[in-house]
């Protein structure tokens, strides 16, 4: 569907990464914990590059952010995970 009106995509990503990290801890799965860390770093790096959803663009101090819908924001993050 169209995610263009969704907000707080980064909050959802951090909720999932936190859950994945905890699952990794419980299962003693270092690879899963490492992925959670990489996902969070990729999300932060994407935002710091100025690519973000509208909710973040409204509060950022970065000049001229690129506003993305949720789907494109997730794709931008995914590019950093490759």
């Amino acid at each position: 569907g169209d995610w263009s009106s969704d907000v707080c995509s980064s909050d959802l990503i951090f909720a999932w990464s936190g859950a994945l990290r905890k699952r990794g801890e419980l299962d003693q799965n270092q690879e899963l914990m490492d992925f959670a860390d990489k996902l969070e770093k990729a999300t932060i790096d994407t935002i710091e590059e100025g690519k973000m959803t509208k909710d973040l663009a409204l509060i950022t101090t970065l000049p001229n952010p690129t506003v993305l819908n949720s789907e494109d924001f997730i794709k931008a993050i995914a590019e950093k995970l490759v």
Side-chain angles (χ1 to χ4, degrees), residues 52-68:
M52 61 194 75
T53 51
K54 185 177 180 180
D55 59 314
L56 296 176
L58 291 172
I59 60 172
T60 187
T61 57
L62 295 173
N64 304 313
T66 300
V67 177
L68 304 172

Side-chain angles (χ1 to χ4, degrees), residues 2-26:
D2 180 13
W3 299 0
S4 59
S5 61
D6 285 2
V7 294
C8 298
S9 296
S10 60
D11 290 343
L12 292 172
I13 292 168
F14 285 109
W16 274 101
S17 64
L20 291 171
R21 184 179 299 102
K22 186 62 177 176
R23 183 77 259 168
E25 290 171 6
L26 293 171

Side-chain angles (χ1 to χ4, degrees), residues 1 4 13 24 29 32 35 37 39 42 44 46 53 55-56 58 61 67 69 72 76:
S4 59
I13 292 168
N29 183 333
L32 185 55
F35 175 77
D37 292 340
L39 179 58
I44 292 167
T46 299
T53 51
D55 59 314
L56 296 176
L58 291 172
T61 57
V67 177
N69 65 29
D72 289 338

